[in-house]
Amino acid sequence: VQLQASGGGSVQAGGSLRLSCAASGGAWTFVEYLMGWFLQAPGKEREFVAAISPSGANTYYRDSAKGRFTISRDNAKSTVYLQMNSLEPEDTAVYYCAAKPHVKSGSRYSIKEYNFWGQGTLVTVSS
């Protein structure tokens, strides 16, 4: 199973970016997984940003992302997105997508519950 993240880049504060994460390979079924986005700022631990249920009906966000970021998914394309608006310098980080089996118990906010990870895409926000 491979998760390929893309869409990162450099923007000024107040700008927008849309991250994508395409899943491929293996015998897995995309719709059996909750998909999440995490960030890792320089010198810091990886942190939860947002997650979306397998059907897309339910979404979850860290407090700082609420109202600015929107997670969505296209199950036909096995792709999850993170639309980021009103970006702030504090959003600068490497962003990772990840997949958690929906049948697996455990917190959707916890890194250890996710089985598969993308390679990360760098987002840099300048003031």
Side-chain angles (χ1 to χ4, degrees), residues 48-110:
F48 172 83
V49 177
I52 187 166
S53 62
S55 68
N58 298 301
T59 56
Y60 314 90
Y61 298 93
R62 63 187 290 174
D63 286 345
S64 62
K66 292 177 182 177
R68 300 190 301 126
F69 295 3
T70 302
I71 188 171
S72 61
R73 65 191 292 161
D74 185 337
N75 286 342
K77 296 181 178 180
S78 297
T79 301
V80 62
Y81 306 96
L82 185 67
Q83 177 67 44
M84 305 188 295
N85 298 328
S86 301
L87 282 161
E88 303 168 351
E90 293 74 21
D91 297 317
T92 294
V94 177
Y95 285 71
Y96 298 89
C97 59
K100 174 185 178 301
H102 80 96
V103 296
K104 184 179 180 181
S105 62
S107 173
R108 65 183 69 90
Y109 304 105
S110 174

Side-chain angles (χ1 to χ4, degrees), residues 11-74:
V11 297
Q12 289 190 328
S16 298
L17 284 173
R18 187 193 196 204
L19 307 184
S20 300
C21 175
S24 63
W28 83 327
T29 304
F30 187 70
V31 296
E32 295 179 350
Y33 287 79
L34 177 144
M35 298 299 296
W37 286 96
F38 292 76
L39 66 80
Q40 188 164 16
K44 296 186 177 181
E45 295 186 350
R46 199 167 297 187
E47 301 174 353
F48 172 83
V49 177
I52 187 166
S53 62
S55 68
N58 298 301
T59 56
Y60 314 90
Y61 298 93
R62 63 187 290 174
D63 286 345
S64 62
K66 292 177 182 177
R68 300 190 301 126
F69 295 3
T70 302
I71 188 171
S72 61
R73 65 191 292 161
D74 185 337

